[in-house]
C-alpha cells in the first residue's frame, strides 16, 4: 500500500485530501468525541463578496499633532450582497467593516 493511497503516501501528492470539495473557506473548530460520535463546529469564514466596497467616506481637515473622532453613517444596504441570478435577490451574510485611509490590501499597505 506504500504510496498508493493518501493514507500511506510518503511523498507529496498532486492535490491534498479534500481539495476541491467546497468553494468557500470553512473553519472547523471545537471537535468533541463521545460514544462513537464526533461533533464539530463548522463556520463559513468567507465574505459574501470577494472584494471590498466603499460604503461611505468623510473628508476631514486635521492639524498636525491633533486627533479627531469622526462619525460616518453607513446605510443598512451596505451590509447586503446581491446574488448572481437574474432576480438580483439580496441575502444577508457576515461582513467585516474596515476604516482607514485606503483599501485594506497588501498593495495599498505597501504604497
Amino acid at each position: 500500500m506504500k504510496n498508493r493511497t493518501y493514507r500511506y503516501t510518503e511523498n507529496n501528492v498532486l492535490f491534498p485530501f479534500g481539495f476541491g470539495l467546497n468553494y468557500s473557506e470553512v473553519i472547523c473548530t471545537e471537535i468533541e468525541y463521545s460514544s462513537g460520535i464526533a461533533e464539530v463546529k463548522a463556520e463559513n469564514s468567507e465574505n459574501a463578496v470577494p472584494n471590498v466596497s466603499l460604503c461611505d467616506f468623510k473628508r476631514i481637515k486635521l492639524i498636525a499633532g491633533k486627533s479627531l473622532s469622526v462619525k460616518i453613517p453607513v446605510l443598512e444596504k451596505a451590509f447586503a450582497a446581491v446574488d448572481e441570478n437574474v432576480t438580483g435577490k439580496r441575502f444577508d451574510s457576515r461582513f467585516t467593516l474596515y476604516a482607514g485611509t485606503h483599501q485594506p490590501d497588501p498593495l495599498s499597505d505597501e504604497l
Side-chain angles (χ1 to χ4, degrees), residues 102-111:
H102 59 75
Q103 178 172 311
D105 67 87
L107 178 59
S108 297
D109 287 339
E110 184 180 323
L111 296 174

Side-chain angles (χ1 to χ4, degrees), residues 12-60:
N12 283 336
V13 293
L14 183 58
F15 296 103
F17 183 77
F19 180 83
L21 292 179
N22 101 44
Y23 296 102
S24 186
E25 284 193 41
V26 176
I27 298 172
C28 297
T29 60
E30 300 180 26
I31 186 168
E32 292 183 20
Y33 178 82
S34 177
S35 303
I37 297 174
E39 182 176 348
V40 180
K41 179 181 177 185
E43 177 184 349
N44 182 344
S45 65
E46 188 171 70
N47 290 330
V49 292
N51 300 312
V52 296
S53 61
L54 179 64
C55 299
D56 210 328
F57 72 96
K58 186 167 190 155
R59 186 180 306 267
I60 61 171

Side-chain angles (χ1 to χ4, degrees), residues 86-98:
V86 179
T87 62
K89 175 185 169 191
R90 292 184 179 270
F91 59 94
D92 295 325
S93 186
R94 298 182 74 177
F95 290 85
T96 301
L97 186 63
Y98 296 97

